[in-house]
Amino acid sequence: MNRTRLVLTGLAVAAAIAVSGCDPQPESEGTAASPSTVASSAAPTGGAATTATSAAANDAATVKACADIKKDIKDNAAKVTKAEKIGPPAGHFAVSAQWAAGSAAIVAHSIGANEAVTAAADNIQNEMMGLSDAYNKSADAKPSKKALEAAIKELDTACSAA
């Protein structure tokens, strides 16, 4: 019972971290356009210097997000390996919690990146949460990580294009 509470509390904290990165902004009167639409429609009126500055800022944010996400993936892999050494029956809770925490870090660091990197990070986050769920369901779980590996390759591709 206490372990279940610990896992649920960990997942709640991970969700809170992920949600805290969301910054709801009120939409301007008369427009329902997304921020990216507004930014792209405003760019031509700002001149070439403004466009170059915003593109450079976006590229810098994307490069930083890529570096941070790749670091998060490596750190999480090391922590999962350590948690797996605990072994069943209690170890699967630690592994599940670590996958959930890792997915929250991925989401937090993908904020501000370009669309391709954000989409790839979302795929990684979804795969990590899937692994978390699999480990949480069974102490003897050995879920495949092929989908996660494919999502990481997708991130590598998106980051190399940025």
Side-chain angles (χ1 to χ4, degrees):
M1 178 91 170
N2 287 335
R3 290 184 184 135
T4 303
R5 268 192 242 154
L6 175 66
V7 170
L8 292 176
T9 302
L11 291 174
V13 168
I17 290 170
V19 172
S20 69
C22 298
D23 185 20
Q25 299 176 358
E27 294 182 18
S28 59
E29 294 177 21
T31 64
S34 67
S36 62
T37 306
V38 173
S40 65
S41 66
T45 62
T50 303
T51 303
T53 303
S54 64
N58 186 27
D59 289 343
T62 298
V63 169
K64 181 176 180 347
C66 285
D68 289 346
I69 292 169
K70 288 177 182 181
K71 182 180 181 294
D72 291 338
I73 292 168
K74 286 180 184 175
D75 290 347
N76 191 63
K79 290 176 182 176
V80 165
T81 300
K82 185 177 178 183
E84 285 174 335
K85 289 180 182 176
I86 296 170
H92 71 286
F93 289 121
V95 174
S96 175
Q98 186 55 53
W99 280 117
S103 73
I106 298 293
V107 169
H109 286 126
S110 69
I111 296 170
N114 68 23
E115 290 181 29
V117 172
T118 301
D122 285 345
N123 287 341
I124 291 171
Q125 186 271 336
N126 289 333
E127 293 304 325
M128 286 181 163
M129 284 307 296
L131 289 168
S132 173
D133 292 343
Y135 276 99
N136 200 28
K137 288 179 186 174
S138 170
D140 298 320
K142 297 290 182 201
S144 173
K145 296 176 186 161
K146 289 185 188 252
L148 176 61
E149 292 166 2
I152 292 171
K153 286 181 183 177
E154 180 185 337
L155 175 74
D156 291 339
T157 302
C159 287
S160 66

